[in-house]
Amino acid sequence: MGAPLDATDHPDNGRHVAGLPRPLAFVLSGGASSGATQVGMLRALRDAGIRPDIVVGTSVGAINGVMVAGSTDSGVDRLSDVWGEIDRDEILGSSSIRCLPRLFRTRRHLFPPDALRALIQRNLPVRRFDALPVRFAAVATHVAQGTPTLLLDGDIERALLASAAIPGIFPRVEIDGHWYFDGGVTANIPVRQAVELGARSVVVLDAAPPPADRDQPSNIAETLQHVAGLLMRSQISSDVSHMRGHCDLVELPRCTPQRVGPFDFSRSAELMERAYKRTRRFLTARHSRPSNRSSPATMPA
């Protein structure tokens, strides 16, 4: 990947990232349909010859991440194919009208996980964590404790379903006697978890859309979405700031426009290409910021 770079080299960002201390982790956020942007980011990183030693993902980032952990080259190509064909029914599997009786019956979720499970089964590179050539972990939220949990052994399919179990949308998932739902609730950008796995450097692939630029949401759905977004961005900002002193951290440019619905997959091809071009521009731009290289300090509380 190249030796650590001297400050006088004035490298481009791609050479800077390639020269960061190993192990290098790719950290992939949640973001529902905006996860298409991560495919473009991953393709640009691959084309620049930057490959991870560790992959950690939350929600859709876990689903994308396991493909890259299976094979950086063919995994990215497979993701491009999957995202180019995916639609709402392949994730949710049934109409909104049919899901309402289920909500009243279960009082917990709108959609069964069957369609998402089938999508995962069709595309998993391997079935168990220990068969992956690159170390991989999915992040889910422990329901009882309200804390993020690294899922990194056993059955991958079940771990991915847990990591992507959006509360109210999909049912919680039981693993080894514990219940989990979407990791984005507690660790949407799991930098801390990557460092816990031994990463000395982290590349962040954030698929979440930016906060809306309007002052007043126009209805209750927009209000709930706006509040959830504010809470999540506050948590992310705090977590990333805490971790800057404990690893070399590179955040790729976010490429998700504001007006993309969480289950609107009609713009996936556009988002992949947009993210690829923007990440390529970033990687070929001159690196001007000093490294955040860390010492083996104590993890923040």
Side-chain angles (χ1 to χ4, degrees):
M1 291 295 102
L5 302 172
D6 187 272
T8 59
D9 287 346
H10 300 295
D12 59 36
N13 285 321
R15 288 181 62 211
H16 169 71
V17 174
L20 288 175
R22 296 283 174 163
L24 172 68
F26 285 1
V27 168
L28 292 83
S29 77
S33 63
S34 301
T37 61
Q38 292 174 343
V39 183
M41 297 178 197
L42 289 166
R43 185 157 63 97
L45 288 166
R46 181 196 64 183
D47 290 355
I50 300 167
R51 287 166 170 76
D53 306 299
I54 300 168
V55 179
V56 183
T58 290
S59 198
V60 70
I63 296 172
N64 286 337
V66 74
M67 300 289 288
V68 176
S71 170
T72 303
D73 294 327
S74 63
V76 172
D77 291 336
R78 180 58 184 152
L79 280 172
S80 298
D81 293 340
V82 171
W83 279 92
E85 300 171 356
I86 202 170
D87 60 26
R88 183 179 181 277
D89 288 345
E90 285 198 80
I91 303 297
L92 302 179
S94 61
S95 70
S96 298
I97 294 176
R98 291 175 57 192
C99 76
L100 290 176
R102 181 178 301 104
L103 176 62
F104 291 123
R105 185 173 63 254
T106 67
R107 299 185 181 181
R108 286 180 178 166
H109 61 275
L110 287 169
F111 298 94
D114 303 352
L116 180 58
R117 179 186 292 112
L119 179 68
I120 291 170
Q121 289 175 343
R122 288 197 304 273
N123 294 289
L124 270 183
V126 296
R127 298 298 169 186
R128 299 186 64 81
F129 282 86
D130 56 12
L132 289 166
V134 173
R135 192 174 191 192
F136 168 73
V139 178
T141 297
H142 193 287
V143 173
Q145 298 174 5
T147 55
T149 300
L150 280 168
L151 304 176
L152 38 69
D153 53 36
D155 182 64
I156 296 176
E157 175 192 319
R158 199 155 187 82
L160 296 182
L161 288 173
S163 183
I166 304 170
I169 302 297
F170 294 121
R172 59 186 183 167
V173 176
E174 187 269 335
I175 299 176
D176 295 333
H178 299 274
W179 292 96
Y180 298 95
F181 51 57
D182 197 295
V185 175
T186 52
N188 200 51
I189 301 183
V191 174
R192 180 190 297 264
Q193 288 70 28
V195 173
E196 288 174 359
L197 289 178
R200 296 179 62 199
S201 307
V202 171
V203 177
V204 173
L205 292 75
D206 185 2
D213 58 4
R214 55 181 179 271
D215 294 328
Q216 296 294 332
S218 60
N219 55 50
I220 188 170
E222 288 185 358
T223 299
L224 292 173
Q225 186 176 15
H226 183 64
V227 171
L230 290 175
L231 291 171
M232 185 173 290
R233 296 317 303 183
S234 176
Q235 168 238 314
I236 289 168
S237 177
S238 175
D239 284 355
V240 172
S241 295
H242 271 300
M243 296 312 300
R244 284 192 182 279
H246 298 266
C247 65
D248 285 276
L249 185 63
V250 175
E251 297 179 76
L252 297 182
R254 288 164 60 195
C255 307
T256 305
Q258 289 178 348
R259 296 288 186 175
V260 177
F263 298 108
D264 177 8
F265 297 93
S266 64
R267 299 177 64 182
S268 293
E270 171 199 340
L271 293 178
M272 287 189 288
E273 188 62 22
R274 172 179 177 151
Y276 176 74
K277 290 179 178 178
R278 189 166 183 183
T279 305
R280 284 281 293 174
R281 285 198 299 269
F282 171 79
L283 292 173
T284 56
R286 175 170 293 186
H287 176 73
S288 59
R289 291 181 296 177
S291 170
N292 286 324
R293 183 158 299 179
S294 65
S295 59
T298 303
M299 292 277 290

